[in-house]
PDB file of all heavy atoms in Angstrom:
ATOM      1  N   LYS A 154      -9.699  46.629 -29.739  1.00  0.00           N
ATOM      2  CA  LYS A 154      -9.237  47.568 -30.758  1.00  0.00           C
ATOM      3  C   LYS A 154      -9.718  48.975 -30.474  1.00  0.00           C
ATOM      4  O   LYS A 154     -10.638  49.187 -29.692  1.00  0.00           O
ATOM      5  CB  LYS A 154      -9.757  47.135 -32.126  1.00  0.00           C
ATOM      6  CG  LYS A 154     -11.272  47.130 -32.208  1.00  0.00           C
ATOM      7  CD  LYS A 154     -11.759  46.516 -33.506  1.00  0.00           C
ATOM      8  CE  LYS A 154     -13.264  46.456 -33.527  1.00  0.00           C
ATOM      9  NZ  LYS A 154     -13.787  45.809 -34.719  1.00  0.00           N
ATOM     10  N   ILE A 155      -9.041  49.945 -31.106  1.00  0.00           N
ATOM     11  CA  ILE A 155      -9.518  51.334 -31.121  1.00  0.00           C
ATOM     12  C   ILE A 155      -9.712  51.708 -32.589  1.00  0.00           C
ATOM     13  O   ILE A 155      -8.779  51.580 -33.386  1.00  0.00           O
ATOM     14  CB  ILE A 155      -8.491  52.296 -30.487  1.00  0.00           C
ATOM     15  CG1 ILE A 155      -8.246  51.953 -29.018  1.00  0.00           C
ATOM     16  CG2 ILE A 155      -8.980  53.731 -30.606  1.00  0.00           C
ATOM     17  CD1 ILE A 155      -7.199  52.854 -28.378  1.00  0.00           C
ATOM     18  N   VAL A 156     -10.910  52.146 -32.940  1.00  0.00           N
ATOM     19  CA  VAL A 156     -11.175  52.550 -34.321  1.00  0.00           C
ATOM     20  C   VAL A 156     -10.991  54.060 -34.431  1.00  0.00           C
ATOM     21  O   VAL A 156     -11.561  54.821 -33.648  1.00  0.00           O
ATOM     22  CB  VAL A 156     -12.612  52.177 -34.736  1.00  0.00           C
ATOM     23  CG1 VAL A 156     -12.875  52.589 -36.177  1.00  0.00           C
ATOM     24  CG2 VAL A 156     -12.849  50.681 -34.573  1.00  0.00           C
ATOM     25  N   MET A 157     -10.165  54.474 -35.388  1.00  0.00           N
ATOM     26  CA  MET A 157      -9.986  55.908 -35.655  1.00  0.00           C
ATOM     27  C   MET A 157     -10.479  56.164 -37.073  1.00  0.00           C
ATOM     28  O   MET A 157      -9.979  55.565 -38.025  1.00  0.00           O
ATOM     29  CB  MET A 157      -8.505  56.279 -35.522  1.00  0.00           C
ATOM     30  CG  MET A 157      -8.022  56.224 -34.076  1.00  0.00           C
ATOM     31  SD  MET A 157      -6.242  56.021 -33.944  1.00  0.00           S
ATOM     32  CE  MET A 157      -6.077  54.278 -34.229  1.00  0.00           C
ATOM     33  N   SER A 158     -11.461  57.034 -37.221  1.00  0.00           N
ATOM     34  CA  SER A 158     -12.073  57.198 -38.541  1.00  0.00           C
ATOM     35  C   SER A 158     -11.740  58.568 -39.118  1.00  0.00           C
ATOM     36  O   SER A 158     -11.107  59.404 -38.470  1.00  0.00           O
ATOM     37  CB  SER A 158     -13.588  57.012 -38.427  1.00  0.00           C
ATOM     38  OG  SER A 158     -14.083  57.860 -37.435  1.00  0.00           O
ATOM     39  N   GLY A 159     -12.187  58.782 -40.345  1.00  0.00           N
ATOM     40  CA  GLY A 159     -12.046  60.094 -40.958  1.00  0.00           C
ATOM     41  C   GLY A 159     -10.789  60.287 -41.778  1.00  0.00           C
ATOM     42  O   GLY A 159     -10.345  61.406 -41.985  1.00  0.00           O
ATOM     43  N   TYR A 160     -10.174  59.203 -42.246  1.00  0.00           N
ATOM     44  CA  TYR A 160      -9.021  59.338 -43.134  1.00  0.00           C
ATOM     45  C   TYR A 160      -9.503  59.188 -44.571  1.00  0.00           C
ATOM     46  O   TYR A 160     -10.460  58.465 -44.850  1.00  0.00           O
ATOM     47  CB  TYR A 160      -7.978  58.268 -42.822  1.00  0.00           C
ATOM     48  CG  TYR A 160      -7.446  58.347 -41.413  1.00  0.00           C
ATOM     49  CD1 TYR A 160      -8.068  57.652 -40.375  1.00  0.00           C
ATOM     50  CD2 TYR A 160      -6.343  59.135 -41.105  1.00  0.00           C
ATOM     51  CE1 TYR A 160      -7.603  57.737 -39.080  1.00  0.00           C
ATOM     52  CE2 TYR A 160      -5.866  59.220 -39.808  1.00  0.00           C
ATOM     53  CZ  TYR A 160      -6.499  58.518 -38.797  1.00  0.00           C
ATOM     54  OH  TYR A 160      -6.034  58.606 -37.522  1.00  0.00           O
ATOM     55  N   ARG A 161      -8.840  59.871 -45.503  1.00  0.00           N
ATOM     56  CA  ARG A 161      -9.280  59.806 -46.888  1.00  0.00           C
ATOM     57  C   ARG A 161      -8.075  59.786 -47.829  1.00  0.00           C
ATOM     58  O   ARG A 161      -7.102  60.488 -47.611  1.00  0.00           O
ATOM     59  CB  ARG A 161     -10.166  61.019 -47.207  1.00  0.00           C
ATOM     60  CG  ARG A 161     -10.836  60.955 -48.573  1.00  0.00           C
ATOM     61  CD  ARG A 161     -11.648  62.200 -48.830  1.00  0.00           C
ATOM     62  NE  ARG A 161     -12.911  62.237 -48.111  1.00  0.00           N
ATOM     63  CZ  ARG A 161     -14.018  61.621 -48.525  1.00  0.00           C
ATOM     64  NH1 ARG A 161     -14.012  60.914 -49.633  1.00  0.00           N
ATOM     65  NH2 ARG A 161     -15.128  61.714 -47.833  1.00  0.00           N
ATOM     66  N   LEU A 162      -8.154  58.934 -48.852  1.00  0.00           N
ATOM     67  CA  LEU A 162      -7.081  58.872 -49.841  1.00  0.00           C
ATOM     68  C   LEU A 162      -7.311  59.946 -50.897  1.00  0.00           C
ATOM     69  O   LEU A 162      -8.438  60.390 -51.097  1.00  0.00           O
ATOM     70  CB  LEU A 162      -7.052  57.482 -50.481  1.00  0.00           C
ATOM     71  CG  LEU A 162      -6.512  56.382 -49.568  1.00  0.00           C
ATOM     72  CD1 LEU A 162      -6.811  55.013 -50.126  1.00  0.00           C
ATOM     73  CD2 LEU A 162      -5.015  56.547 -49.358  1.00  0.00           C
ATOM     74  N   PRO A 163      -6.230  60.371 -51.584  1.00  0.00           N
ATOM     75  CA  PRO A 163      -6.388  61.432 -52.583  1.00  0.00           C
ATOM     76  C   PRO A 163      -7.264  61.005 -53.771  1.00  0.00           C
ATOM     77  O   PRO A 163      -7.422  59.822 -54.038  1.00  0.00           O
ATOM     78  CB  PRO A 163      -4.955  61.716 -53.042  1.00  0.00           C
ATOM     79  CG  PRO A 163      -4.094  60.696 -52.435  1.00  0.00           C
ATOM     80  CD  PRO A 163      -4.840  59.982 -51.386  1.00  0.00           C
ATOM     81  N   GLN A 164      -7.791  62.020 -54.482  1.00  0.00           N
ATOM     82  CA  GLN A 164      -8.678  61.754 -55.619  1.00  0.00           C
ATOM     83  C   GLN A 164      -7.920  61.241 -56.839  1.00  0.00           C
ATOM     84  O   GLN A 164      -8.495  60.599 -57.706  1.00  0.00           O
ATOM     85  CB  GLN A 164      -9.440  63.039 -56.009  1.00  0.00           C
ATOM     86  CG  GLN A 164     -10.418  63.538 -54.949  1.00  0.00           C
ATOM     87  CD  GLN A 164     -11.665  62.673 -54.821  1.00  0.00           C
ATOM     88  OE1 GLN A 164     -11.924  61.826 -55.659  1.00  0.00           O
ATOM     89  NE2 GLN A 164     -12.418  62.866 -53.745  1.00  0.00           N
ATOM     90  N   GLU A 165      -6.636  61.597 -56.940  1.00  0.00           N
ATOM     91  CA  GLU A 165      -5.869  61.264 -58.148  1.00  0.00           C
ATOM     92  C   GLU A 165      -4.660  60.404 -57.776  1.00  0.00           C
ATOM     93  O   GLU A 165      -4.139  60.495 -56.676  1.00  0.00           O
ATOM     94  CB  GLU A 165      -5.372  62.569 -58.823  1.00  0.00           C
ATOM     95  CG  GLU A 165      -6.483  63.475 -59.319  1.00  0.00           C
ATOM     96  CD  GLU A 165      -7.382  62.794 -60.350  1.00  0.00           C
ATOM     97  OE1 GLU A 165      -6.863  61.981 -61.143  1.00  0.00           O
ATOM     98  OE2 GLU A 165      -8.608  63.064 -60.341  1.00  0.00           O
TER      99      GLU A 165
END
Side-chain angles (χ1 to χ4, degrees):
Chain A
K154 62 188 177 183
I155 298 178
V156 181
M157 290 158 280
S158 53
Y160 299 90
R161 188 182 284 278
L162 287 167
Q164 294 288 348
E165 297 301 325

